[in-house]
Amino acid sequence: ITYTLQPGPRVKLGELVIPEGLTVRDNALRVMRPWQPGDYYSPEKIRTLRTRLRSANLYDGIGIDIAETPGADGTYPVNVLLSESKQRSFGAGASLSTTEGAGLDAFWERRNITGRGDKLRVEGSAANLGSSLKTTYTLPNIGRYGRTMTAEIGARSDETDAYDLKGVKTGASLSQPFNKNFTLSAGAYVDVTRTVEYDLTRSGPSDPIDQVTFSIPLTGTYDTVDNRLDPQKGNRLLATLEPSVSTGTVNATYTRYLTNATTYHSISDKLIAAVRAEAGGFIGDTDVPADRLFFAGGGGTVRGFAYQSLSPRNLDGDYLGGEALFDAAFGLRWRKSERWGYVAFVDTGAAASDFGAVFGDLRTSFGLGVRYYPGFGPIRLDIATPIDRREGEDPVQVYISIGQAF
């Protein structure tokens, strides 16, 4: 059998043909088009359009069809078939640990408020260590795909072993991806806080510290991670530089910086190696608000140790917070079956007055964990113990939450 193939002319893609009756504005859809009319067809362009439409979280069904005949300009129109999803959603979560205690969080979200794919989200949390309520408005694709404005206002109350704090924060940021992996963002925020620091109240009642902090966070993110809740492969690098001015009880001008790098590698179909490292510090004045200092110990930094316990203390044992931070973790995740997995991990880290003191004070823990996969992401149970445990430290700490630890 002989097949004879005769190639036709190369297809030039044209405008999107958008169905009537959608609540999303036509311009909000056309900005997602990854080609200019007249560009030659490639499967990657169609895949990119489909991915962008799916990531908008506005559609239950997505169909893309290229017209069989060209238009008057010689380009082939691209028909988009869309089934819109519900515009409201809500969710809730919970966490539990022997150091941070219990916590609950919930959110309500309304999408496509103005027909531009925008989103209003209200989220709150309540835990032993504090509570918060925040409202966020997100407007995507301003002028070009990916350029996103985010505005927020929120209130919080923290009760830690180092300080008690009540605060209100508001501000906005603008982010711009330069390719599918690299994004830059810049923002401006105002944070009004009232803090009571325990090291000041030990000798008697102390006036609260009232501060107003103006900050301009600048963030760069490189991200190739495949799954947020259960990463299997990829790398993530985040670097934040935050020039700030604090006025009030104490005046300070400083820049806070924080970098975080994470990588995931598949050793086999069922075994994943995960590595994370984080470092932060200050440039300029160090007499900064207590909640902007660094603390280590607990589920977010070094499991196996009490919350904030790997932080500087005064002679009375009160936590002060540090001007430098380093913490790292290594984990092996074994997916035994569709529903169950197991983890072994080592964490290390400390906060101190400078990086020399940090690396001199590093503490390390070892732990084991269980993962249950209900279908939307793992529910994790981790048990960790300090290596070279010291007097007064608990032998184990337990953590229960949703999603991998990192």
Side-chain angles (χ1 to χ4, degrees), residues 12 23 36 63 87 130 142 154 181 294 296 358:
K12 292 183 178 181
T23 60
Q36 294 297 323
Q87 296 180 339
I142 303 173
N181 303 128
F294 295 108
V358 165

Side-chain angles (χ1 to χ4, degrees), residues 90-291:
F90 65 91
S95 63
L96 177 66
S97 82
T98 51
T99 57
E100 287 99 316
L104 297 172
D105 59 83
F107 75 89
W108 175 88
E109 189 172 276
R110 169 69 160 83
R111 294 177 291 278
N112 199 36
I113 299 172
T114 66
R116 294 180 289 178
D118 48 347
K119 178 175 66 178
L120 181 70
R121 183 183 178 98
V122 180
E123 53 191 322
S125 65
N128 293 70
L129 295 176
S131 58
S132 66
L133 180 65
K134 182 172 71 173
T135 299
T136 305
Y137 174 74
T138 303
L139 178 62
N141 308 323
I142 303 173
R144 58 178 293 182
Y145 178 78
R147 182 182 293 152
T148 301
M149 186 275 290
T150 302
E152 67 176 60
I153 184 170
R156 67 192 189 280
S157 176
D158 298 331
E159 298 178 3
T160 74
D161 289 340
Y163 59 83
D164 286 353
L165 177 145
K166 297 184 184 300
V168 176
K169 183 176 182 179
T170 186
S173 65
L174 188 68
S175 65
Q176 175 63 58
F178 290 86
N179 55 47
K180 65 179 182 179
N181 303 128
F182 180 63
T183 301
L184 290 178
S185 68
Y189 290 85
V190 179
D191 192 10
V192 182
T193 58
R194 168 165 286 188
T195 308
V196 176
E197 299 182 15
Y198 289 150
D199 65 308
L200 299 180
T201 61
R202 182 174 289 276
S203 58
S206 174
D207 292 333
I209 300 173
D210 293 324
Q211 299 288 137
V212 179
T213 299
F214 303 89
S215 62
I216 304 176
L218 309 170
T219 303
T221 305
Y222 177 80
D223 193 346
T224 63
V225 173
D226 61 338
N227 186 315
R228 293 289 181 181
L229 282 177
D230 187 23
Q232 304 292 310
K233 60 182 179 179
N235 306 291
R236 183 186 299 121
L237 176 63
L238 184 146
T240 298
L241 197 67
E242 191 173 0
S244 304
V245 175
S246 293
T247 64
T249 305
V250 178
N251 297 319
T253 301
Y254 55 91
T255 297
R256 187 180 193 265
Y257 62 89
L258 183 67
T259 59
N260 186 296
T262 312
T263 184
Y264 307 92
H265 293 280
S266 177
I267 299 174
S268 68
D269 291 342
K270 294 187 176 182
L271 188 62
I272 305 295
V275 181
R276 176 187 62 83
E278 181 178 52
F282 287 90
I283 302 171
D285 298 336
T286 57
D287 194 9
V288 303
D291 65 311

Side-chain angles (χ1 to χ4, degrees), residues 265 267 271-274 330-334 342-346:
H265 293 280
I267 299 174
L271 188 62
I272 305 295
F330 170 76
L332 286 175
R333 302 170 182 170
W334 177 43
Y342 303 96
V343 178
F345 59 87
V346 175

